[in-house]
Amino acid sequence: MLTLTRATLREIRMQLKAPFRISSGEVRERRVLLLELESAAGARTWSECVAFQYPNYSPETVDTAWLALTEWLLPRLLGVPLTGPQAAHALLEADVRGHRMAKAALEMGLWGLAAEEAGIPLARLVGGTRSRVAAGISLGIRSEPAQLVEDAAAAAAAGYCKIKLKIAPGADVAFVAAVRQALPATPLMVDANNAYTIADAELLAQLDAFHLVMVEQPLDHEDLVRHAELQRRMRTPLCLDESITSLARAEDMIRLGSGRIINIKPGRVGGFTSALAIHELCIAHYVPVWCGGMLETGIGRAYNIALASLPGFTLPGDLSPSARYWQRDIVSPEWTMDASGDVAVPLDRPGIGVAVDEEQVEALTVRRLVVTADAAPVAVAAGAKLS
Ligand code: OSB
Ligand code: MG
């Protein structure tokens, strides 16, 4: 039995090495919600919520996740014996709509905790089969094509297996053309983060000329129907990110033909149980998947790397190492990549595979809250009104 007895929520702030721009905004400093979890058996681990400061990627934010975790999610799991981490998903879904990033932070942490308790690597617990995973890089929007070419050339030289270019109206076809000309043979893709509408179909179809591996989430963050129409009008595979928030949405995508590839971010779909189900579905339908990123610290990356070691993750993930975003990461060892663009899956140590630099975390903490099983009955009673 896996019983969560204590959770510590923290918000830390970390400065990115360089501002990261997507179509809906720019991040300079990352506010990150971390969880530290303890079990009745005395195991302890860390997990991370992928929500950003502003609701410009999904409706959730650091502050809504903090609220959801403390008010509704932690109270229903603290002190409750679980047959295993896979039992948490249904409990977190019951009568709480949405808040998937908050749910995922807790649910994934339970997988980390179970791996600690079992004394096995997280990658093994989830069914991973690879010892190395291929890393791609995501390059933010720049004001001039020449700057993007410079970034992309450096990424190719560093060995990245796939280069993703963020695009937006005014920073699209000419930018992609310049990079393709400079790097004729590099696997390239673009990610629009919802910056277009179906009225832009002709412009988007111009991207077919650049032999891209895929075009990620060009249309609305909740859309499936218009993506299906766009996919019919383009040769390049569409990949959905924001629109896939659950197994049901993945089934809808496949049924409607809204895309041919899925970016699985476990933190976006409610956690590992949901991510594993989507992975299975995609294997059954020959839909390639890859693991996306959310500018995580080394804690969040540990979960992504464990997931990416599963057999259906056949495309390089946004798994760039610690030094890509951080002067100093909060894990040791920091995540690194070899010259062929591979990240080693830490199969030589139990749990999430890296140690958390707790002194550093403490120094970066701006708020902290401890919730224990003893305190839970109050909140459980409040929640009980719902059932
Ligand atoms: O859509 O994948 C995205 C960063 C911020 C917001 C959205 C996205 C991204 C990334 C980052 O592409 C990838 C990474 O974490 O390395
Ligand atoms: Mg994306």
Side-chain angles (χ1 to χ4, degrees), residues 61-84:
T61 69
V62 170
D63 299 298
T64 68
W66 186 287
L67 177 83
L69 281 161
T70 54
E71 291 291 317
W72 310 306
L73 304 176
L74 281 165
R76 56 176 62 198
L77 286 191
L78 277 161
V80 176
L82 302 173
T83 51

Side-chain angles (χ1 to χ4, degrees), residues 22-234:
I22 69 169
S23 60
S24 56
E26 187 180 85
V27 187
R28 289 164 182 272
E29 184 197 54
R30 187 77 168 82
R31 286 176 60 193
V32 185
L33 194 171
L34 295 179
L35 286 179
E36 187 187 348
L37 303 178
E38 290 175 50
S39 76
R44 201 163 68 87
T45 200
W46 292 78
S47 66
E48 172 170 345
C49 180
V50 299
F52 293 134
Q53 173 171 9
Y54 299 109
N56 67 317
Y57 167 85
S58 82
E60 289 187 81
T61 69
V62 170
D63 299 298
T64 68
W66 186 287
L67 177 83
L69 281 161
T70 54
E71 291 291 317
W72 310 306
L73 304 176
L74 281 165
R76 56 176 62 198
L77 286 191
L78 277 161
V80 176
L82 302 173
T83 51
Q86 67 291 334
H89 181 75
L91 294 175
L92 292 171
E93 282 303 305
D95 306 325
V96 177
R97 311 287 184 248
H99 298 284
R100 291 195 169 89
M101 293 178 174
K103 290 170 179 173
L106 177 52
E107 197 260 8
M108 290 160 74
L110 288 168
W111 282 88
L113 202 58
E116 282 287 344
E117 278 201 1
I120 59 172
L122 179 63
R124 287 286 182 252
L125 183 67
V126 299
T129 52
R130 287 170 222 279
S131 58
R132 318 188 67 73
V133 293
I137 190 171
S138 175
L139 299 177
I141 295 170
R142 302 292 301 256
S143 40
E144 295 298 328
Q147 298 168 323
L148 189 61
V149 169
E150 204 175 298
D151 292 347
Y160 280 104
C161 303
K162 181 183 89 189
I163 298 177
K164 163 162 130 178
L165 312 173
K166 292 289 190 180
I167 59 166
D172 45 39
V173 178
F175 286 66
V176 179
V179 174
R180 177 46 87 207
Q181 191 177 13
L183 300 171
T186 302
L188 290 181
M189 62 169 288
V190 297
D191 184 358
N193 293 107
N194 331 310
Y196 299 89
T197 71
I198 192 65
D200 301 311
E202 261 175 51
L203 181 146
L204 290 164
Q206 289 179 43
L207 296 171
D208 278 337
F210 305 115
H211 306 283
L212 303 175
V213 185
M214 69 193 97
V215 172
E216 184 177 347
Q217 196 75 33
L219 309 181
D220 189 78
H221 70 108
E222 291 181 315
D223 177 78
L224 289 169
V225 170
R226 292 161 192 81
H227 278 104
E229 181 184 338
L230 180 62
Q231 182 67 92
R232 287 192 290 274
R233 295 170 66 176
M234 286 184 73

Side-chain angles (χ1 to χ4, degrees), residues 89 100 107 239-254 260-291 307 310-313:
H89 181 75
R100 291 195 169 89
E107 197 260 8
C239 166
L240 296 187
D241 172 356
E242 285 91 332
S243 289
I244 308 299
T245 49
S246 65
L247 175 64
R249 290 292 84 74
E251 288 167 351
D252 293 350
M253 181 202 90
I254 293 168
R260 301 190 190 131
I261 298 175
I262 293 184
N263 167 344
I264 301 182
K265 293 175 180 171
R268 184 194 70 232
V269 300
F272 272 178
T273 302
S274 170
L276 293 172
I278 295 171
H279 168 257
E280 281 303 310
L281 173 82
C282 288
I283 286 179
H285 290 269
Y286 306 100
V287 170
V289 304
W290 55 284
C291 183
L307 187 73
L310 283 151
F313 284 78

Side-chain angles (χ1 to χ4, degrees), residues 302-386:
Y303 288 85
N304 291 348
I305 284 158
L307 187 73
S309 74
L310 283 151
F313 284 78
T314 53
L315 291 164
D318 283 343
L319 302 168
S320 57
S322 301
R324 152 84 172 117
Y325 295 118
W326 316 116
Q327 212 66 55
R328 178 179 166 193
D329 203 343
I330 54 173
V331 299
S332 132
E334 292 203 355
W335 294 101
T336 55
M337 180 182 91
D338 68 19
S340 55
D342 282 350
V343 176
V345 181
L347 295 171
D348 53 345
R349 47 192 304 173
I352 66 172
V354 283
V356 173
D357 183 342
E358 300 191 4
E359 238 170 74
Q360 166 82 341
V361 168
E362 186 64 34
L364 298 171
T365 297
V366 296
R367 59 173 162 160
R368 180 175 176 280
L369 181 73
V370 178
V371 191
T372 60
D374 313 333
V378 181
V380 166
K385 280 186 288 184
L386 292 170

